[in-house]
Amino acid sequence: LVKTVAAHSAFQTRIFLTADGEPRQKLVDEPFQLPIEEFDAAQFEALKKDLIQPYKHLGGPLFRIRLFSVSHEQQYLFIDISHIICDGTSFRIFFRDIDLAYRGLPLDEEDWSQGQLAEENRQLRNSDAFQAAREWFLNTFDKDRFVTPLPMEKGVSFACKVIPLNISFSSTEQFCRNISVTVNDITTAAYLLTLGAYTDRNDTTILTAYNSRDDIRTRNTIGYLASNILVRGIWTPAMSPKEFVLQVGQNLLDAMGHSIFSSSDIKTM
């Protein structure tokens, strides 16, 4: 565990505020130690309910790893990592490296750290590609209403009804292959249609996230490398379900292709 933590710079990341109050990240040289904490069964039961705590993001570590020995009979490993420095793929990398280190094998070095990615993205803000992505954003979305709002009227409550569908995932995948779309296309389209029915609109936009590890340099990187993108769907009565799904699929690809201009840049417009 100590070796795995040392191999990934994300675990040395700390958040601080600039003089203008903007959050930034920096790396610190704080060796990680993992002492074995010993408790009896009653003490450990009392401790468990307080293990998960909110993070104090400014200045402090963005992960918690603890190892417990209970009554000298059972061992428990507790791992809690802030989403700021970890995504789903990071967990796979993390546990892969723990396994390699446990077997005495060398760990693959990171080719590209989360910090290096952030710095590269910062430099790209002065590029033609960033300006092109900004123009695409302005031409694609309604700048006065980027995301479709929900009709949350004061004093109004909404009922929830679950409708189970007897459809296997494998059959869904086969259906998607038959019409040349992805499962992500069809689920995003379904969400946009549902949102349209709920808000009485035929033009809806949602904010979603996708795994943006499209660079081979991120294959060993622990960090939050997902990108937030806006996806729009416009439904007309003459449109077939397949046409709508294909439209949403193309909109997803376009949004991913212009993700250098992120949702956080909306405030600059």
Side-chain angles (χ1 to χ4, degrees), residues 30-41:
E30 294 181 2
F32 171 65
Q33 297 179 339
L34 187 63
I36 299 176
E37 303 177 56
E38 297 189 1
F39 296 93
D40 62 32

Side-chain angles (χ1 to χ4, degrees), residues 83 87-88 184 187-188 206-213 224-231 252 255-256 259 262-263:
H83 215 349
D87 55 19
N184 196 28
T187 52
T188 304
I206 61 171
L207 177 68
T208 186
Y210 83 102
N211 185 343
S212 56
R213 291 174 180 262
Y224 181 77
L225 305 187
S227 295
N228 294 324
I229 55 174
L230 291 174
V231 184
L252 273 168
M256 293 175 188
S259 62
S262 69
S263 58

Side-chain angles (χ1 to χ4, degrees), residues 13 17 35 41 49 53 55 61-62 66-67 70 85 97 108 134-135 157 160 162 175 190 192 197 208 216 246 259:
T13 299
L17 295 180
K49 63 179 177 25
Q53 296 289 336
Y55 279 97
L62 298 173
R66 300 173 68 179
L67 186 59
V70 180
I85 61 168
D97 284 359
D108 293 327
R134 185 178 187 276
E135 289 301 314
S157 60
C160 177
V162 178
F175 173 79
L192 286 164
T208 186
I216 193 172
L246 289 172
S259 62

